[in-house]
Amino acid sequence: MSWIQESKLKWYETLAVNVLKCGSIPKHVAFIMDGNRRFANKSGVKKIEGHSKGFDKLTEVLHWCLLLGVNEVTVYAFSIENFRRSEEEVDQLMSLAREKFKRLLEEKDKLNEHGISIRVIGNIGLLPADLQKLVVESMESTKSNTEAVLNIAFSYTSREEMTHAVREVAWGVQEDLLKIDDITEDLIQKCLYTRHSLQPDLLIRTSGEVRLSDFLLWQTTCCTLYFTPVLWPEFSIWDLCRSILHYQKNLPVLEKALKNSCDGRRQPISENMDRIEKFLSKMEVKESRTRNQILTQA
Amino acid sequence: MGILRLLYVILHFFITYIHNLHVALSELVDRIKPVIKDRTYHWPADCHVLLTATTVKLGANIKDESLLLQKIGSELKRLDKLPIHVACLLTETDVNIDRMIVIIQWFVSMGVYCISLYDHEGCIASCQDEIKIKLKGLVENLPNGLRSKSIAVYKGFVKKEFFSSDSINIFLMNHYDGKSLFTQVAQRIVDELNYSQIDQSVVEQAINQFYPKEPELMVQFGSLLSNTTLGYSPWHLRLTQMMRAPNHTRLRVDHIVSTMLEYGSCQQRFGK
């Protein structure tokens, strides 16, 4: 199935979307796409078929999000913990990923036309080399798009992300680009994989589990978390509308409970700012070099 | 186009209003009769019967309540489903300390000896002295075996050397105990180690020098429609089950029982 869905909504679905748009729409929604294997079990098909249906559902949901005016979506596709699954299942998932990223590259013109930028967040160094190359190519070919962003958390855990941020900061201190006192919550945030994104406003987890499972822990401190018992491949536009209605209802109460600025960001002192800016741009250069290495490897 | 837009706005108002009514009605129903949530609990049959039989008696007799909570706690422990640390997230602006003491008592009766009370603003943390005094009174209401336990009340995270796992430990936290703990730990790690030496186990070890550790269960009190973490230390919420309960001022013991049963029936797959 294509990454870009262009199916039209039924009239009553369009009505629901337009009604919801009268309230505030979250700018960034995160999804934990849970329940593919339970769906496969329920339908009597193989697990990999469940995951494939899960991908199809993802493309549908992205289409609905665009219609609703949600500009950024982050999805939890594969956790580092999932490497602990059976070798057979992991290989099947990697093959599915290869197939989908290859398809993405084939459709890059369509993605560019819609202005969609793809970012893969996570420790991609843990993936097979050929998949790493596909991932980096997908990111490079869509990086100049600004209309909408899809962040795919692949080989990701939040704790690994936070550790990576600490390592980057340590590199900065070692290279004399930073001082220890420059290390603040704000700086750590700027070293996370998600540094180019806004924090999510709404996180939806399907299949009835009520935990975050090491997903965007740092980024969801002021977020509305919506847990629904529906399995991911069965997630409908009505489930999405219901979650957005919950977000709209929750927002004023949440803002009241938080009162002050959510992350309590303390602005860095101006003399540090130059140093921090220099460190951040050197970090980007380092990352860019790593990506080029992946692209040019055989 | 103007008329259509007006129609959408009216419809939006309407669905919001209906949703409000639905929420208010559920709260009203909940106030009238105790309800143990309808969910397939993987419980031994006799425990379930005990619960159904005693539901109507809840709130009537402290001794009955205490026995019920002990029974539930021991069943959960037997099934390896008793949380070691429960985090209570308060979303209300007015905190009723007496009510919080009763809630702590319920958890302790079940066998949970590590409880953190978190609110974003820090109202709870500012009442540390009042809480300490009132908790002394709690000991008399505890089941026999627990009366010899000491109660320790801490503000924020505390280092390992100042923590005793034999006491009943209550932690009072606010948003300054969230991301800032991680930042402090990061500063220390960066000061002591080379960047190539830093991996997840190093960070885990550094954070584990502080108590409390990860909560297995987080109960969010109050009227928020959806779950939220309100800035609770992000590193610690990796696998935490997040559940909601009514406003702490009108919380009943059956709400806590219901929450603990739901927790007991959750399955963790740890990625597998």
Side-chain angles (χ1 to χ4, degrees):
Chain A
M1 225 198 205
S2 169
W3 280 81
I4 306 275
Q5 290 296 319
E6 274 161 347
S7 54
K8 276 199 146 70
L9 293 180
K10 305 211 169 56
W11 70 267
Y12 46 85
E13 291 169 344
T14 310
L15 179 71
V17 164
N18 285 330
V19 168
L20 272 179
K21 277 164 114 165
C22 293
S24 74
I25 296 286
K27 297 188 189 67
H28 180 180
V29 179
F31 290 94
I32 300 182
M33 309 182 291
D34 202 4
N36 293 334
R37 292 184 297 175
R38 268 167 281 177
F39 173 80
N41 228 10
K42 201 169 128 181
S43 321
V45 297
K46 289 197 183 131
K47 279 188 210 163
I48 194 65
E49 182 59 34
H51 289 301
S52 188
K53 283 274 181 292
F55 174 80
D56 296 341
K57 182 54 61 178
L58 170 62
T59 57
E60 252 193 292
V61 169
L62 292 175
H63 177 56
W64 298 333
C65 285
L66 282 173
L67 291 173
L68 275 159
V70 176
N71 294 327
E72 188 158 9
V73 171
T74 302
V75 296
Y76 202 6
F78 191 85
S79 164
I80 294 178
E81 299 295 319
N82 294 151
F83 280 114
R84 297 161 70 187
R85 293 184 181 178
S86 68
E87 201 177 321
E88 189 196 344
E89 192 178 346
V90 174
D91 287 339
Q92 284 176 340
L93 284 166
M94 292 296 133
S95 300
L96 183 67
R98 272 187 199 98
E99 183 197 318
K100 299 304 174 189
F101 277 108
K102 277 186 186 143
R103 185 74 196 261
L104 195 156
L105 286 169
E106 285 164 17
E107 293 181 343
K108 67 172 181 241
D109 292 330
K110 233 186 189 180
L111 283 162
N112 289 333
E113 195 188 302
H114 282 80
I116 299 174
S117 168
I118 303 281
R119 289 184 205 142
V120 176
I121 56 173
N123 187 351
I124 59 173
L126 297 174
L127 299 171
D130 63 323
L131 190 49
Q132 284 185 40
K133 199 168 175 188
L134 283 169
V135 158
V136 174
E137 272 174 10
S138 309
M139 289 198 279
E140 291 294 310
S141 59
T142 55
K143 70 178 177 193
S144 49
N145 296 329
T146 52
E147 291 291 312
V149 183
L150 170 62
N151 300 303
I152 306 171
F154 207 76
S155 178
Y156 172 95
T157 57
S158 195
R159 281 191 176 182
E160 195 278 327
E161 181 183 30
M162 290 194 262
T163 306
H164 168 84
V166 175
R167 228 185 354 253
E168 292 293 276
V169 164
W171 170 78
V173 168
Q174 222 162 299
E175 299 287 305
D176 264 327
L177 296 163
L178 285 176
K179 295 204 181 343
I180 301 266
D181 288 336
D182 294 335
I183 304 174
T184 57
E185 287 170 31
D186 203 48
L187 181 64
I188 295 194
Q189 178 133 348
K190 290 188 169 136
C191 295
L192 296 172
Y193 298 134
T194 55
R195 58 186 172 275
H196 302 294
S197 300
L198 292 169
Q199 304 221 330
D201 300 301
L202 171 64
L203 184 145
I204 300 171
R205 179 168 189 158
T206 54
S207 87
E209 304 297 347
V210 291
R211 51 185 182 260
L212 289 173
S213 296
D214 225 343
F215 183 57
L216 300 182
L217 301 175
W218 186 278
Q219 296 88 336
T220 51
T221 49
C222 320
C223 180
T224 296
L225 308 174
Y226 183 76
F227 301 116
T228 171
V230 176
L231 299 176
W232 175 252
E234 295 172 336
F235 192 73
S236 71
I237 191 168
W238 299 108
D239 296 313
L240 182 61
C241 288
R242 209 170 294 133
S243 66
I244 293 194
L245 183 64
H246 262 266
Y247 163 79
Q248 290 177 347
K249 300 299 310 302
N250 204 46
L251 195 60
V253 193
L254 180 62
E255 279 171 355
K256 197 170 156 208
L258 288 169
K259 271 197 211 145
N260 307 318
S261 142
C262 293
D263 3 41
R265 284 190 192 196
R266 273 154 243 135
Q267 287 301 321
I269 317 157
S270 52
E271 43 193 79
N272 306 15
M273 273 176 94
D274 287 333
R275 203 163 50 222
I276 290 172
E277 289 304 315
K278 259 196 197 138
F279 157 72
L280 290 172
S281 53
K282 291 237 156 122
M283 192 179 70
E284 292 297 334
V285 167
K286 184 163 75 95
E287 169 126 1
S288 186
R289 215 175 282 148
T290 315
R291 286 195 196 178
N292 283 332
Q293 271 176 347
I294 294 173
L295 276 178
T296 52
Q297 77 194 16
Chain B
M1 277 318 278
I3 298 172
L4 208 56
R5 167 86 189 159
L6 187 64
L7 172 69
Y8 295 146
V9 169
I10 292 170
L11 280 172
H12 188 258
F13 178 78
F14 191 60
I15 55 165
T16 308
Y17 183 66
I18 292 219
H19 200 236
N20 272 344
L21 277 182
H22 170 73
V23 167
L25 199 66
S26 325
E27 281 190 9
L28 190 67
V29 165
D30 181 64
R31 272 179 216 244
I32 297 170
K33 63 175 183 111
V35 167
I36 303 281
K37 282 186 198 147
D38 181 17
R39 196 177 156 129
T40 319
Y41 299 116
H42 302 292
W43 283 90
D46 56 346
C47 190
H48 212 243
V49 167
L50 169 70
L51 285 163
T52 325
T54 53
T55 301
V56 289
K57 289 195 209 144
L58 286 173
N61 189 326
I62 292 176
K63 198 169 156 215
D64 274 343
E65 258 180 33
S66 188
L67 281 171
L68 172 67
L69 291 169
Q70 267 189 287
K71 171 96 189 177
I72 290 168
S74 60
E75 279 301 308
L76 280 169
K77 192 155 188 195
R78 198 176 61 80
L79 295 166
D80 213 13
K81 286 284 190 172
L82 185 68
I84 297 169
H85 170 201
V86 173
C88 297
L89 201 73
L90 283 109
T91 60
E92 307 93 330
T93 42
D94 298 315
V95 181
N96 184 325
I97 300 293
D98 296 315
R99 210 62 207 144
M100 283 315 305
I101 302 292
V102 170
I103 293 169
I104 292 173
Q105 187 188 311
W106 289 337
F107 279 120
V108 171
S109 305
M110 278 192 275
V112 179
Y113 304 136
C114 181
I115 301 160
S116 52
L117 305 178
Y118 178 97
D119 78 295
H120 187 258
E121 289 306 298
C123 306
I124 281 258
S126 61
C127 301
Q128 186 183 17
D129 297 327
E130 193 186 338
I131 292 175
K132 266 189 178 151
I133 296 168
K134 291 190 171 164
L135 275 174
K136 288 205 168 83
L138 177 151
V139 180
E140 279 102 61
N141 289 330
L142 287 178
N144 284 329
L146 294 173
R147 287 195 194 151
S148 56
K149 269 187 180 293
S150 58
I151 300 186
V153 179
Y154 305 102
K155 223 176 186 174
F157 282 96
V158 79
K159 279 200 160 159
K160 217 178 190 171
E161 46 261 37
F162 302 113
F163 176 81
S164 161
S165 51
D166 294 325
S167 339
I168 295 170
N169 295 297
I170 312 291
F171 296 88
L172 309 177
M173 296 165 139
N174 61 39
H175 78 277
Y176 290 111
D177 303 306
K179 289 175 176 173
S180 67
L181 173 79
F182 187 82
T183 311
Q184 281 170 45
V185 166
Q187 284 178 338
R188 211 166 57 94
I189 292 174
V190 169
D191 200 19
E192 291 172 7
L193 294 175
N194 195 307
Y195 85 90
S196 54
Q197 295 170 300
I198 299 173
D199 64 10
Q200 200 168 317
S201 58
V202 163
V203 181
E204 263 172 29
Q205 217 182 8
I207 293 211
N208 284 343
Q209 297 300 311
F210 295 90
Y211 278 83
K213 296 213 179 144
E214 290 175 52
E216 286 84 10
L217 170 64
M218 174 184 268
V219 184
Q220 178 186 307
F221 297 115
S223 57
L224 256 75
L225 274 185
S226 289
N227 289 72
T228 186
T229 61
L230 284 186
Y232 194 99
S233 173
W235 182 273
H236 290 79
L237 297 179
R238 183 175 63 123
L239 297 172
T240 307
Q241 302 283 23
M242 298 177 179
M243 298 188 179
R244 277 179 291 142
N247 191 309
H248 71 287
T249 51
R250 59 176 187 82
L251 193 76
R252 293 188 312 261
V253 76
D254 58 287
H255 293 128
I256 292 289
V257 164
S258 175
T259 305
M260 294 302 276
L261 287 185
E262 225 184 304
Y263 171 80
S265 64
C266 286
Q267 280 181 321
Q268 287 270 14
R269 289 179 297 278
F270 304 106
K272 284 215 191 122

